[in-house]
Amino acid sequence: MRQALLFLLLVVLTGGELRAQISYGRAPKVAKDPEQPPGVGITQKLGGKVPLDLEFRDHHNRPIKLSECVGDKPTVLVLAYFSCPKLCTEVLNGLVGEMKPLTRFDMRAGKDFNVITVSINPKDDPQFARKKRTSYLDEYDKRAEEDPGWWFLTASHGQGTDLLEAEGKIRTLAESIGYGYAADNWKAYDAARSETDPAKRAVLLETAIRKTKDYVHPSVVVILTKDGTISQYFHGLPRAVGGGDLDDGYNAEDLRTSLGTANGGKIGSTLNRLAMSCFAYDDQSATYKLNMSRLRWAAAPFLLMPLGFGFYAWRQARRERAKRLSVASDGLEETDNAVR
């Protein structure tokens, strides 16, 4: 009886802990990853043209064509959306972070190049664009709001906007640079586009646009020449000093050199990027210095070339020697046969 009472007391005192252990031991329910929309990513269209006659709205809700924003200067183009919770902000933060060092060499947006940020959300309005622009100009060089050079554009003019027309403008621009993106409710868009009745298709598509909250999209910075030709792509976010991958990211020197290339109306190349990657901006001295770790990485193929040539020469010499021995052996065999 005494032992039974002790056992019951132990169960009461430790019941919560035992329940916790039992609960902890169960396999948790694993949420399935959401199905990824097709077509998201970048298809490079180097040498292609951006439709400069497309008209958007600036931060003062004034109609403006892309040609006016480019303004016969090399131009940085970024597609984003202003309520993006993370990636768009990181892309724009990274861009302004790499533009700031260029001001120490008197290379500024509006004077030497222009920057255009276009929202891919047809519901983003000029008032929202104005707030975003002000915050980035403060971070960049604290210039006055009236100063040109960095445009934040929307396809919407606010209340009364034709969302289908706005969506069409954005898609036209995105397709011209190979920028594939999708709404979080992309299946609703697909269903709307598959509708054969034009009136129903328009209603379904407008409903899908209104219900969209977020977008799945790549991170990319595009460099344009003075006439809107695509000169260079920078994928991902800026590389940290001393690190990064040549295939992704960029730094201030990459940006400076690519704008110089675009200013001459030329198209960037992989070789240019390889050369640019060997430099890093040093904030202490306000100069660009050779980055030895990157230089070693970039020079590795060239350092290995003599070894390759040496190996090839050795193989060729070995084959020639084997061939001569074979000929000599055949000659000896013929002489021996003749003697016999």
Side-chain angles (χ1 to χ4, degrees):
M1 183 69 178
R2 185 177 177 182
Q3 290 177 341
L5 289 172
L6 287 172
F7 178 77
L8 288 173
L9 181 62
L10 180 64
V11 169
V12 171
L13 291 174
T14 63
E17 185 177 345
L18 289 172
R19 282 194 299 273
Q21 289 176 357
I22 292 170
S23 175
Y24 180 78
R26 292 173 185 167
K29 292 183 178 180
V30 179
K32 292 183 179 179
D33 290 334
E35 187 178 352
Q36 292 298 310
V40 174
I42 287 292
T43 302
Q44 290 198 16
K45 295 187 177 182
L46 290 170
K49 287 284 189 81
V50 168
L52 296 181
D53 58 337
L54 276 179
E55 187 176 87
F56 290 90
R57 293 280 174 157
D58 71 5
H59 49 283
H60 287 303
N61 204 1
R62 295 176 299 208
I64 188 169
K65 291 184 177 181
L66 291 179
S67 57
E68 298 174 69
C69 300
V70 171
D72 199 35
K73 289 183 175 69
T75 299
V76 180
L77 174 64
V78 178
L79 268 60
Y81 69 104
F82 302 148
S83 60
C84 182
K86 188 175 182 182
L87 186 56
C88 297
T89 301
E90 290 182 353
V91 170
L92 292 174
N93 287 352
L95 175 61
V96 74
E98 301 306 320
M99 286 167 54
K100 285 168 70 175
L102 303 184
T103 62
R104 302 191 183 189
F105 301 91
D106 197 30
M107 187 174 181
R108 297 177 180 274
K111 183 176 79 70
D112 304 286
F113 62 96
N114 285 318
V115 185
I116 306 174
T117 303
V118 181
S119 174
I120 60 174
N121 185 352
K123 295 182 292 184
D124 278 349
D125 60 24
Q127 186 176 359
F128 199 175
R130 187 175 182 178
K131 292 178 181 177
K132 295 290 285 189
R133 181 176 184 267
T134 300
S135 66
Y136 278 102
L137 291 185
D138 285 345
E139 175 64 23
Y140 177 44
D141 60 2
K142 302 189 183 301
R143 68 177 58 191
E145 187 181 276
E146 308 83 51
D147 287 356
W150 193 343
W151 309 94
F152 278 70
L153 306 181
T154 65
S156 165
H157 57 76
Q159 191 172 2
T161 295
D162 183 336
L163 291 179
L164 296 183
E165 181 184 354
E167 168 84 3
K169 286 183 181 180
I170 296 166
R171 290 283 175 187
T172 299
L173 176 58
E175 287 169 8
S176 73
I177 63 171
Y179 184 94
Y181 70 100
D184 56 358
N185 57 335
W186 57 276
K187 290 185 177 181
Y189 280 76
D190 286 351
R193 294 188 183 104
S194 64
E195 174 59 55
T196 55
D197 184 276
K200 288 182 180 179
R201 182 168 61 248
V203 171
L204 289 173
L205 189 55
E206 184 173 348
T207 301
I209 294 171
R210 292 189 183 281
K211 290 185 176 180
T212 299
K213 294 180 180 178
D214 295 308
Y215 292 87
V216 183
H217 60 89
S219 58
V220 68
V221 172
V222 181
I223 308 298
L224 307 177
T225 65
K226 298 176 182 181
D227 65 353
T229 300
I230 301 167
S231 175
Q232 184 72 62
Y233 288 83
F234 292 126
H235 297 271
L237 304 174
R239 295 191 300 268
V241 174
D245 189 325
L246 290 178
D247 294 329
D248 291 298
Y250 63 100
N251 59 20
E253 176 62 9
D254 295 340
L255 192 59
R256 184 193 69 80
T257 308
S258 64
L259 286 169
T261 300
N263 189 47
K266 297 178 181 178
I267 309 302
S269 68
T270 303
L271 188 59
N272 287 341
R273 293 205 59 199
L274 186 65
M276 289 188 295
S277 68
C278 297
F279 292 86
Y281 182 77
D282 179 47
D283 193 59
Q284 301 259 331
S285 60
T287 58
Y288 291 96
K289 293 182 176 180
L290 272 175
N291 185 297
M292 294 311 296
S293 63
R294 290 184 192 168
L295 183 62
R296 284 194 297 270
W297 193 97
F302 300 99
L303 294 175
L304 291 174
M305 285 175 65
L307 293 177
F309 284 124
F311 178 73
Y312 176 78
W314 175 77
R315 286 288 301 272
Q316 287 293 101
R318 188 178 178 186
R319 286 175 181 172
E320 287 295 325
R321 183 169 176 272
K323 188 176 180 181
R324 286 197 300 270
L325 289 174
S326 177
V327 170
S329 176
D330 291 343
L332 288 173
E333 188 174 340
E334 288 177 5
T335 303
D336 187 50
N337 290 335
V339 170
R340 290 179 186 177

